[in-house]
Every structure is written in C-alpha cells, then in structure tokens.
Amino acid sequence: MSTPSSSPSSTFTRRDFLRSGSALSLAAFFNTATAAPQGSVRATKDAPNLLFLNLDQLSHMALSCHGNPYLKTPNIDRLAARSVDFSKSYTPDPICCPARASWCTGRFPSENNVVANNRKLRTDLPDYGQWLGEHGYQTVHIGKWHVPGRQLHQSFQLVPHNSHPQGEYSDNLIALSFEAFLANRDHERPFFAQIGLMNPHDCGNAPRTAKHSFPFKHLRDQLPPYPPNFDFDRREPEQLKSMHNGLMNFTKMWTEENWGHQAWLYYRMVEMVDVNVGYILDTLEQSSDHANTVIIFTSDHGDANGYHRMLFKDNFYETSVRVPTMVCFPGHAPEGVEDTKHLVSGLDFFPTFCDYAGIVPPSGLRGRSLKPLLDGKATQWRRYLHAQSKASGRMVVDERFKFVRYYGSKTTQLFDLANDPYETRNLAFEPEYQSDCKRLANEIDRHEATLENVALPSSLSKRT
Amino acid sequence: MHLSFDLYPSYLQSFDIAPLECVASRQHYAIHAMRNYAYRTENGRQEGPFPQVRPEGSLELECLKPPTINSLRSMEVTHTRSWSTWTGQKHSSKQTIAAKIDYAANATGSPGKWKLSYQSDPIFPVKSYRYSKIGPMRQTGHRLGNVITISTTDSGQDRTYQAHHPTTSLYTLIERLQAGVVEPGPIDYLDDLTMFRPGLEITPLPDQRIEIKGTIEDLHGFALVGPALLPLYFWQNSNNHVLAVIGRNVAYTLTEIECK
C-alpha cells in the first residue's frame, strides 16, 4: 500500500501540535487540523493493535449464537466463542449518526450536537481516530463512517475509499481493503483500524420488496412467523406513537407473509455480512498481528424487524437499542464468556481503546473502560445505563427495568426486562410500579444534570 | 411484473443480435445502485419517498478464445465499483477487481483456477476529500476436488473452503447462461471470487413480458437464492443474452456485446 505524496495524511506531527501549543488548546488543534494527527511519540512497543469492527443495524437478537433460529451466523458465532459477549449492551442512540458520533467522541449526542442524523459534530471534541493517531497509532478507516462535520481524513491517516458502501455489493470490498491494509501496514507502530461494514443496514430498503408475495414458493417454510410481541402495548410516549402509527399505516395491508418476507431479507443481509466478518477474522487470525490485537465487535443500532409491529430503528425497544458487543483479545481476555451482568454502552469503546493503548483519554468521556471487566478485576460498575433518541427521548436501564421518557410526551414506559424481555406490558400504568418509575425518572434527571448539553435549535428544542 | 423490476427497467437495453456462438466475445454491464430516498415538494406538499438510483461502476467480461480442450473456458474480468458518500457528490474513489479465470464449460461455469488483483484508487480532484491508494493486492485461487484454495500473494495467507456443490461466480454464470446450458440445482457461490457463500440454489424464474425502450421483450431467467445472499435475478432475452442481473439494491445491465 502506498500513500500518494499529495495526501496530507502524514503531515501533522506532534511537533506541529507543540508549536501551536501556546496559542491553541488541544481541542482547537484538532478543530483546525486539516489532516489526521500522526504523533511522533511512538506508542509503547507492545501496545496492542485495536480493531473496531462494526456493523450497521444489527440487533442483539439477530445472531444464531444469541438463539435466533431463522439465520446462521457461523463467523460471528466463532468470534463470540473467542470473546466476552456482553449481552446487556446498548447503543448510546439507536440511529446511525448519533450512535457513531457518540462512539468516536465518547460523549452523548446531546453533548456532541449530533442528536439526529446529519447534524454536525461539535468541532472542539477530539475523536478516537485523532486521539490514537496523536499517540502513535497508525489509524485507518475503511467503510461506513457517517459522522457529519468530521471529515474522515481529519480523523484517520489512511482512508482508502468513500464512506457509505452498499452492503449488498460493496461490503466484500471493505473486507478486501482490510486485508490489503494489513498486508502492507506500518509495523513500527500499532494500528487502530475502524472497519465499518454496511449490512444489514439496507434492510431499510426492503419493504418495497417485502410488500410483494414471497417469490420462492418452495422456500416459504423459511419465512419467520409473526414475532412474539407483534401485538404490543400501545400505550407509548406520544412522540414515539406518532412515528409508530406512521409505520403501521405504511404496513397496514401487510400479511404475515409480507412481514415474514421482510424478516427473511433482513436475516439474509445479516448472513451476507457474516461472511465478510469471517473473511476479516481469517485475515487477522492468519497474520502475525493476531495475538496482539484487541477486537471490539458491535453495531450502531438494531432493527425492529417486525417486533412491536415496527420496522427500522430510532426507538428504545430492545430490537433497536440493544446491540451485540463482543471483545476478543487472545490470551488476555476470557473466551466464550457471556457477560449477562454488566450494563455496557457504546460510549465505553473510546475509554477502552485508550486503556488498552496505555494512554490517558481526553477529559469528559462519559463511558468506562471495559478492560477491568475483561481482566477479571473487581470493579464498581454502573448501576444505570443511559441512552438518548430523537433529541428529546431518554432511556435508563438498570438490572431489571427499562424506563423511557420523551420530554414533551405525557406517556412514559416501564418494562420489566427480567420478566418481560419482549416488552409487551407497559408497567408505567400499574400502581405498584410507580415508585420504580419515580426512581428511574429521578435518575434521568440526575444524570442529565451532569451533561454538558449543547443548545438545540427550536425545531428540536421545542420538543424537549 | 416481477418484483425485481421495480426500479431498474429504464436501464435495460434491447439487443437484437443473434445468440453468441462466436469463439470470443466481450460484454459490458453498467452498475446502478439504489442508495437512498429523496422527497420533493409538489404543489406545496411533500411527496415521496422517491428511491434514488445512481450509476456506480461497470463490469466488463472478455470471454477468450477457448483452448483446444472444449471443456475449458477462460475469461478476463474488470469489475469496477465507485460510489459517493452523499447524494450529488462526485465519486472520489473507486475499487477495482481485475481477474483472469479458467473455468469449466459445464452447467455452472465452475472456476477451476484464477488470478485476481484488487485495488482502491482515489479519484482526484474532489473537493474536501482525500483518499489513499490501497493495493494492488494479488490473489490466486484454484479448486482441487472439493477444496477451494485462495492464496493472497502479499501476505502468503491461504484460505481453504470445502465445497459441497458445483461452484460458480457472477462472471462465469453470466457466460454460461448465455451459452444456454444452466440447469436448476444446488450450487456454491464465489462472490467476487473471494467470499465463499455455500449452499445456494439456482432456480428458474417465471417468464416475463416487458417493454424495453419501446420494444416488447419476452424474458426468461434464473435466480440465485439461498443463505448469506440477497437473491440475484438473472434475466435473459430470447437469444439468451443476459440483459440484467438484479439484486435488491443493485442492478447490472448489459450495455454492449460483441463477438471478437
């Protein structure tokens, strides 16, 4: 691999940063940088490589290793068998841009300004590509990025192609580009590779196909039936209900076959990308880097896939907000362990990368490093996990309950995840659960007061 | 009308030429992809969503003069994909697979031996975007018995896959369809000659009559369907030319065909 001389990707050095030191804060430095930082201070020789392998729109439930009988994902299952699989893992915000902006800055959408798709990231927050590059890592991004306001070449030293591949016919190329990178990488430095595979995101386009009869009569027995919570509790927050009603109106003529067709397409997309994940894992496992590479595997959000008679994402139901998170570090982290105890957030990845790299993270990160959990060290972990949606939505989860509130909506939701995992009964209307609602609402207020939220435009803030 | 024709018929072209019986040929396909949706304001009302379909590359197949052994064929492939991140942006990088494949002249076009090169190139100048060249990365592949081996030259890595069925690829299947010899049945698929997707099937499609640029065409074809793949629909005209290969978000449409 070569970097053309016209590329500025290697032109910013720590010297540049130090030269600018008296006049610029670190944040301002990253803001004004026209190219991704490349620190001259080498990471320690034995610092591990970091592979952040992320999919798009993969629900926690959409894997065969998580018990789903309607698809087979042998490669992700293989990764799970070599990882700690955090089963209580949630995205910071169940839609693309806010989730990804939260990953890369370690800050909630209400703080980083990306509270909805296509809103621009605050320019004064460093992202993990910049931070790790400044601290001696070779940084590469391949695949989907989708963080408006932060151009890829400002964050990563190597960017071989555009963001936004088409999962159906471009994810193969993402896997090949990773192989090309690994075969030619700079072995003087550890690498941080963010690999963003697109599938199964494009199930968003599937309804135009699913509205037709399933075209393969002899394969009809593969169509999933209605999901177990197809009939759901309609007492939803008004903002969610508005969106949900629109989707139900869109699908009101659908039969069970149409819903099954939609789910069948989604699962084929998950299987498609599973092959690409397998290719990437094989590439790494056959390389000399394998033993010294931490893999974090996750997705930016899930997909409703018919659950709650819903499609797509952007809500707090488990199919949308709960995602797989697997961490693998051969010989250092346990293998084949499902962690059902700890509440994990996509905000935890940035501090985890810094912890493994042995570098101090930027101030203000909201997540926690997963490394102590992976090292088996006793640690005081979070009791509550928070997520946001649509600027005004807030979710808090504890070991048993999920509480959802949208500012401006009168109706709230409380689900007993321990006893009602499909979220079929909104307990916020039950007298005996009012104390839990109050406790969790107070927790949202307490947490919110700790954030450095940005001012939102009236089109968004009027909803809050 | 078949569900695969919901977006792409306007890209199909009619070819009123005889079946390819020449010893060597060249076929060029344009690639169009459905990317996202747009909304328009018409008479004060927001209308939509309208699917946005964009040109995203090309596929060129050059079928070479067969050697004296009639059971073998060779072809050269140039498969270029190029997209922009946002609607309306110019493409700023492209990814190219170039390959030479020796394959069986059987019902599936089973690749027997191949060489492949993959690279990603920036397209300059594009405002605000700066991409890095990557590659070329070279691979060789072969099938021996039921074992498929793909070797990456740069890294020395070998991948082996156990095939349980005849194997095919997009490229060789198109050629075999045009030869009129494809039969329904189980098949393993080498997607982009690199990603192994086993356990699929080739199944016939119901005949379709559609209008292509003013000409009524009777189409027949096959689907490639099964695990780890969105169905691919191969549509042929009465002379067996494969006019289109249609997925859900992507379509390859024949734009040129010639005997050499």
Side-chain angles (χ1 to χ4, degrees):
Chain A
M1 178 171 47
S2 65
T3 303
S5 57
S6 55
S7 167
S9 61
S10 60
T11 56
F12 255 86
T13 66
R14 186 170 180 82
R15 178 175 294 179
D16 297 322
F17 170 64
L18 294 173
R19 271 188 199 143
S20 65
S22 60
L24 290 172
S25 68
L26 186 60
F29 168 75
F30 285 117
N31 180 20
T32 54
T34 57
Q38 179 173 309
S40 59
V41 177
R42 297 285 184 240
T44 53
K45 187 75 178 169
D46 55 351
N49 306 303
L50 304 167
L51 171 58
F52 186 35
L53 180 55
N54 51 77
L55 272 52
D56 195 312
Q57 211 142 325
L58 178 71
S59 296
H60 182 274
M61 61 85 185
L63 295 171
S64 46
C65 63
H66 290 165
N68 192 314
Y70 299 108
L71 78 171
K72 288 182 180 159
T73 48
N75 294 295
I76 299 173
D77 295 0
R78 167 163 60 111
L79 179 62
R82 296 173 187 176
S83 302
V84 175
D85 182 359
F86 291 98
S87 67
K88 288 187 176 177
S89 169
Y90 292 88
T91 179
D93 192 317
I95 196 165
C96 301
C97 296
R100 291 162 184 272
S102 299
W103 283 346
C104 77
T105 61
R107 305 287 283 264
F108 280 98
S110 60
E111 298 181 285
N112 66 35
N113 197 49
V114 188
V115 297
N117 270 354
N118 304 325
R119 280 181 56 79
K120 288 189 176 178
L121 186 69
R122 256 172 69 182
T123 54
D124 60 336
L125 294 177
D127 64 64
Y128 47 35
Q130 295 173 326
W131 199 256
L132 290 159
E134 171 59 23
H135 288 86
Y137 271 72
Q138 184 181 28
T139 57
V140 59
H141 169 87
I142 303 169
K144 181 167 176 177
W145 169 239
H146 212 180
V147 180
R150 188 64 54 89
Q151 293 177 6
L152 274 167
H153 67 266
Q154 291 181 305
S155 300
F156 294 87
Q157 296 150 11
L158 289 170
V159 184
H161 40 85
N162 294 69
S163 178
H164 275 65
Q166 180 76 271
E168 186 175 356
Y169 82 118
S170 305
D171 272 349
N172 293 349
L173 307 179
I174 307 305
L176 291 176
S177 288
F178 174 71
E179 184 179 21
F181 162 74
L182 206 62
N184 296 284
R185 79 173 188 85
D186 176 1
H187 284 275
E188 295 300 309
R189 298 183 282 163
F191 69 78
F192 172 56
Q194 173 165 273
I195 310 299
L197 292 158
M198 193 70 171
N199 261 331
H201 172 274
D202 298 338
C203 66
N205 300 334
R208 69 166 220 269
T209 304
K211 69 182 181 184
H212 297 275
S213 295
F214 187 64
F216 305 107
K217 289 187 172 51
H218 64 295
L219 300 178
R220 273 196 177 143
D221 62 349
Q222 294 182 2
L223 299 184
Y226 285 133
N229 55 8
F230 194 69
D231 289 320
F232 64 99
D233 192 329
R234 301 198 177 203
R235 295 172 295 181
E236 294 179 314
E238 286 71 14
Q239 190 174 336
L240 173 64
K241 195 176 186 66
S242 170
M243 178 179 85
H244 204 163
N245 284 345
L247 283 168
M248 287 199 297
N249 190 46
F250 174 71
T251 56
K252 66 184 174 189
M253 302 303 287
W254 281 23
T255 63
E256 186 168 13
E257 179 176 310
N258 296 124
W259 285 100
H261 192 175
Q262 171 81 20
W264 186 88
L265 290 166
Y266 177 67
Y267 291 141
R268 298 294 80 73
M269 280 182 257
V270 176
E271 290 177 339
M272 277 189 94
V273 76
D274 178 75
V275 171
N276 302 126
V277 169
Y279 194 94
I280 289 167
L281 294 178
D282 288 344
T283 298
L284 182 64
E285 287 167 8
Q286 284 201 38
S287 77
S288 58
D289 290 316
H290 177 231
N292 195 35
T293 300
V294 180
I295 305 173
I296 294 184
F297 171 87
T298 193
S299 177
D300 56 355
H301 52 77
D303 185 88
N305 201 30
Y307 285 66
H308 295 98
R309 203 175 295 209
M310 197 177 238
L311 296 172
F312 316 139
K313 58 241 185 182
D314 210 9
N315 62 77
F316 289 128
Y317 288 124
E318 291 283 271
T319 45
S320 177
V321 75
R322 186 175 170 215
V323 292
T325 291
M326 300 172 192
V327 185
C328 171
F329 190 13
H332 299 274
E335 297 190 3
V337 173
E338 184 182 12
D339 183 321
T340 59
K341 181 180 172 190
H342 297 99
L343 293 162
V344 166
S345 166
L347 293 165
D348 298 333
F349 303 148
F350 195 166
T352 303
F353 292 139
C354 291
D355 201 356
Y356 274 110
I359 60 179
V360 177
S363 62
L365 300 193
R366 302 305 180 196
R368 308 248 332 244
S369 170
L370 301 174
K371 187 171 179 291
L373 302 180
L374 296 157
D375 289 344
K377 290 182 181 163
T379 183
Q380 188 80 18
W381 198 247
R382 63 168 66 91
R383 182 181 174 196
Y384 297 106
L385 180 139
H386 294 266
Q388 304 182 347
S389 178
K390 299 172 97 56
S392 61
R394 297 291 184 269
M395 178 195 87
V396 61
V397 173
D398 70 5
E399 63 179 350
R400 179 178 172 189
F401 292 108
K402 173 192 287 184
F403 180 74
V404 170
R405 182 175 80 188
Y406 287 79
Y407 298 110
S409 290
K410 212 170 126 188
T411 306
T412 57
Q413 288 173 304
L414 179 74
F415 294 108
D416 182 348
L417 295 177
N419 296 301
D420 179 23
Y422 292 117
E423 302 166 293
T424 61
R425 189 173 161 214
N426 182 1
L427 301 175
F429 289 85
E430 310 288 334
E432 63 266 40
Y433 291 99
Q434 293 311 302
S435 62
D436 288 303
C437 288
K438 190 172 180 187
R439 171 176 62 85
L440 293 166
N442 288 341
E443 167 56 23
I444 289 178
D445 291 339
R446 183 207 63 77
H447 170 73
E448 201 72 14
T450 67
L451 303 181
E452 297 169 7
N453 289 341
V454 298
L456 292 173
S458 59
S459 60
L460 292 168
S461 61
K462 69 184 178 187
R463 291 191 288 166
T464 66
Chain B
M1 184 177 287
H2 191 267
L3 56 78
S4 64
F5 288 126
D6 60 347
L7 289 181
Y8 307 106
S10 63
Y11 303 105
L12 267 63
Q13 294 186 27
S14 204
F15 285 86
D16 185 21
I17 56 175
L20 285 181
E21 291 173 348
C22 41
V23 292
S25 65
R26 184 184 72 87
Q27 293 142 83
H28 185 276
Y29 288 84
I31 301 174
H32 287 84
M34 189 291 187
R35 274 283 161 182
N36 52 16
Y37 293 91
Y39 293 83
R40 292 196 293 266
T41 302
E42 294 174 358
N43 300 322
R45 283 183 51 189
Q46 190 183 60
E47 300 286 344
F50 300 102
Q52 301 293 292
V53 179
R54 304 186 222 156
E56 296 209 346
S58 63
L59 171 63
E60 183 141 320
L61 306 178
E62 186 145 356
C63 303
L64 306 176
K65 183 181 175 182
T68 50
I69 307 170
N70 276 340
S71 61
L72 293 178
R73 293 282 188 281
S74 295
M75 71 161 60
E76 291 177 351
V77 175
T78 306
H79 191 176
T80 301
R81 278 158 278 191
S82 173
W83 64 88
S84 59
T85 302
W86 307 108
T87 303
Q89 272 186 341
K90 290 180 180 174
H91 294 189
S92 42
S93 73
K94 67 175 180 180
Q95 290 70 50
T96 306
I97 285 176
K100 181 169 187 294
I101 313 168
D102 296 336
Y103 60 101
N106 57 15
T108 60
S110 299
K113 196 170 70 173
W114 62 94
K115 290 181 180 175
L116 176 144
S117 162
Y118 169 73
Q119 68 184 68
S120 179
D121 294 290
I123 302 171
F124 289 116
V126 172
K127 186 182 175 188
S128 302
Y129 282 86
R130 297 158 188 176
Y131 291 96
S132 316
K133 179 179 172 63
I134 198 166
M137 180 182 74
R138 294 185 176 82
Q139 290 186 338
T140 60
H142 66 268
R143 176 169 177 161
L144 198 61
N146 288 333
V147 178
I148 294 168
T149 303
I150 298 175
S151 304
T152 300
T153 310
D154 295 19
S155 62
Q157 291 193 5
D158 287 338
R159 300 162 199 272
T160 57
Y161 303 104
Q162 188 72 33
H164 295 285
H165 305 292
T167 309
T168 195
S169 67
L170 173 66
Y171 320 122
T172 55
L173 186 57
I174 289 174
E175 190 278 326
R176 291 287 84 195
L177 285 163
Q178 295 193 149
V181 298
V182 172
E183 298 286 341
I187 199 159
D188 295 337
Y189 183 51
L190 269 169
D191 194 5
D192 283 328
L193 286 175
T194 52
M195 307 289 153
F196 185 59
R197 304 183 188 276
L200 301 162
E201 64 174 289
I202 291 176
T203 188
L205 292 168
D207 293 350
Q208 303 288 308
R209 173 167 287 188
I210 69 167
E211 184 179 328
I212 300 176
K213 294 186 171 46
T215 304
I216 300 297
E217 292 266 9
D218 289 315
L219 302 184
H220 64 283
F222 293 90
L224 184 60
V225 61
L229 192 76
L230 284 166
L232 274 177
Y233 300 97
F234 296 77
W235 290 109
Q236 300 174 261
N237 65 11
S238 53
N239 286 331
N240 272 341
H241 304 314
V242 178
L243 298 186
V245 183
I246 303 177
R248 209 173 41 77
N249 293 317
V250 62
Y252 295 76
T253 51
L254 185 65
T255 58
E256 294 172 45
I257 185 167
E258 65 172 329
C259 280
K260 299 188 79 175

